[in-house]
Amino acid sequence: LRGEWGPVLYLYECWASDPLLRHRGSSGGVVSALAAYAVESGTAVGALQVRASRTDPLRNETVLNRNRAEITEATGSRYSPASPCERLDLVETAEGPCVVVGKPCDIAGAVRAAAQRPQLAENIAVPLAFFCAGPPAPNAPRQVIRGLGIDPGAVSRLDFRGDGWPGRFRVETAQGQQASTSYADSWGQLTKHRQWRCLICPDHTGEFADLAIGDPWYRSVSDDEGGRSLVVVRTERGRRLLESAIRAGAVEGTVVAMDKLPASQPSLEATRGAVWGRVLSMRVLGMPVPHFWGMPSFRLWWKLPWRAKVTSTLGTARRIQQRGLRQDEFDVNGVLR
């Protein structure tokens, strides 16, 4: 690995030893298993996580979970906007260290905030990130639900995946009506509605986390197979937590070859290359652009096929014009009005 994947000390393939966490988790339940182990072992007093909102199951809320039951309840992917950093105050004022779970951008924000706030830095025990291809806009799940013949306003429970690997997109209403579709089908629909800011993000694998977890898509997965996760060990603090959890029997797994990482997430490598072209187009059009340090992307753009190079530059310029991105048309959540 030449730096395109951030710092990597070791690469593991793991799964939760707790059958419930493994089954409910999106890919092996490792994030939940590590969070629960950290709390139960005394490494942390809580885990800052996102769960389905208690008042609107299509939306998310951030909570500081204090025990295994609460952590288990929050298990599973939430493919809709979430903001763990809005409740970093829960970590900062906690009576001890906490695990912080989030998307790569959430973890980057938490790390930057901790650099300015000593008590927050002291109370972040371990930042855990999960691989992210960009969460869809808020209306995306509603469109998938309507396609299943369900009124989004009637939904009482929404699971984006889980209860098996990779699981299914499932909805249930208070009246007991149920519907589902495959993970692949729902993800294909949801990704059509990714927010622009996610399309110009180069970090999809949690480079600022101690541990980053994602699906090991380097091979095909059978329907009845138990979930597994790739675990990217980025720091010594992360290594200590993972190896301690394995010794204690909270997590099972082993070290795997580094080439499993790019083989599992080839689209993320290509996406990082495309980001370089997209940002270039924005700069040429006179738009404000983000600046990234220590995140090689030009060489990944250069590796793209010519068609992908053109799409990332000229295609981006066309989309900017079509979507009116040069105008002040965004709401406070960064969503195009």
Side-chain angles (χ1 to χ4, degrees):
L1 302 180
R2 299 181 55 200
E4 292 89 350
W5 301 92
V8 182
L9 300 182
Y10 305 96
L11 185 66
Y12 279 73
E13 187 168 337
C14 297
W15 55 93
S17 58
D18 181 337
L20 177 61
L21 284 181
R22 186 178 188 184
H23 182 68
R24 291 190 60 176
S26 297
S27 57
V30 172
V31 172
S32 299
L34 289 173
Y37 170 74
V39 171
E40 293 177 341
S41 67
T43 301
V45 300
L48 191 74
Q49 294 178 283
V50 167
R51 71 181 182 196
S53 168
R54 292 287 176 82
T55 58
D56 183 355
L58 274 62
R59 301 179 67 88
N60 298 316
E61 62 184 12
T62 303
V63 293
L64 185 64
N65 290 322
R66 300 283 191 159
N67 54 56
R68 175 177 289 268
E70 294 175 346
I71 290 169
T72 300
E73 184 182 0
T75 297
S77 296
R78 298 294 302 173
Y79 294 137
S80 56
S83 181
C85 288
E86 69 182 356
R87 296 313 313 269
L88 285 175
D89 63 298
L90 297 175
V91 175
E92 194 168 31
T93 59
E95 68 276 14
C98 301
V99 174
V100 175
V101 179
K103 305 182 299 297
C105 60
D106 300 326
I107 299 303
V111 170
R112 289 293 297 271
Q116 304 297 321
R117 293 153 59 173
Q119 187 58 51
L120 178 61
E122 183 176 340
N123 278 9
I124 295 181
V126 178
L128 297 180
F130 44 83
F131 295 0
C132 175
N139 65 325
R142 297 179 183 276
Q143 294 190 25
V144 179
I145 293 168
R146 289 191 188 97
L148 294 174
I150 301 288
D151 175 10
V155 172
S156 60
R157 180 183 177 92
L158 167 60
D159 294 314
F160 287 87
R161 58 183 294 201
D163 280 345
W165 186 34
R168 296 178 63 82
F169 182 101
R170 301 181 306 277
V171 292
E172 182 177 343
T173 69
Q175 293 72 36
Q177 187 179 8
Q178 299 180 359
S180 72
T181 187
S182 70
Y183 163 69
D185 179 67
S186 63
W187 180 242
Q189 296 182 60
L190 292 170
T191 53
K192 297 176 182 177
H193 303 277
R194 280 176 292 183
Q195 300 168 89
W196 179 258
R197 59 184 174 181
C198 298
L199 297 180
I200 54 174
C201 172
D203 181 13
H204 296 273
T205 58
E207 296 189 20
F208 295 91
D210 288 344
L211 297 170
I213 296 93
D215 287 281
W217 296 133
Y218 64 86
R219 57 184 176 82
S220 59
V221 176
S222 62
D223 291 337
D224 58 350
E225 186 174 350
R228 291 172 175 251
S229 294
L230 279 185
V231 182
V232 183
V233 180
R234 299 199 182 280
T235 68
E236 281 297 319
R237 183 169 63 175
R239 180 191 63 79
R240 289 193 296 271
L241 175 64
L242 178 62
E243 293 184 352
S244 177
I246 291 174
R247 288 195 300 270
V251 172
E252 298 180 41
T254 186
V255 174
V256 295
M258 290 289 187
D259 62 3
K260 294 290 192 299
L261 178 53
S264 294
Q265 303 290 337
S267 63
L268 296 188
E269 182 174 333
T271 295
R272 184 153 173 170
V275 165
W276 187 89
R278 293 167 187 160
V279 172
L280 173 65
S281 294
M282 293 173 66
R283 183 176 289 112
V284 169
L285 291 172
M287 298 175 63
V289 297
H291 296 275
F292 310 115
W293 292 271
M295 292 184 170
S297 57
F298 172 75
R299 63 171 172 256
L300 294 181
W301 179 83
W302 190 252
K303 287 172 58 177
L304 294 175
W306 279 107
R307 180 182 293 274
K309 288 187 177 75
V310 171
T311 299
S312 70
T313 50
L314 298 182
T316 294
R318 184 177 63 254
R319 287 194 296 274
I320 288 172
Q321 297 295 335
Q322 291 174 342
R323 298 176 62 176
L325 297 179
R326 296 184 65 185
Q327 305 171 27
D328 186 15
E329 296 185 356
F330 292 90
D331 65 19
V332 294
N333 296 313
V335 179
L336 193 64
R337 295 186 191 277

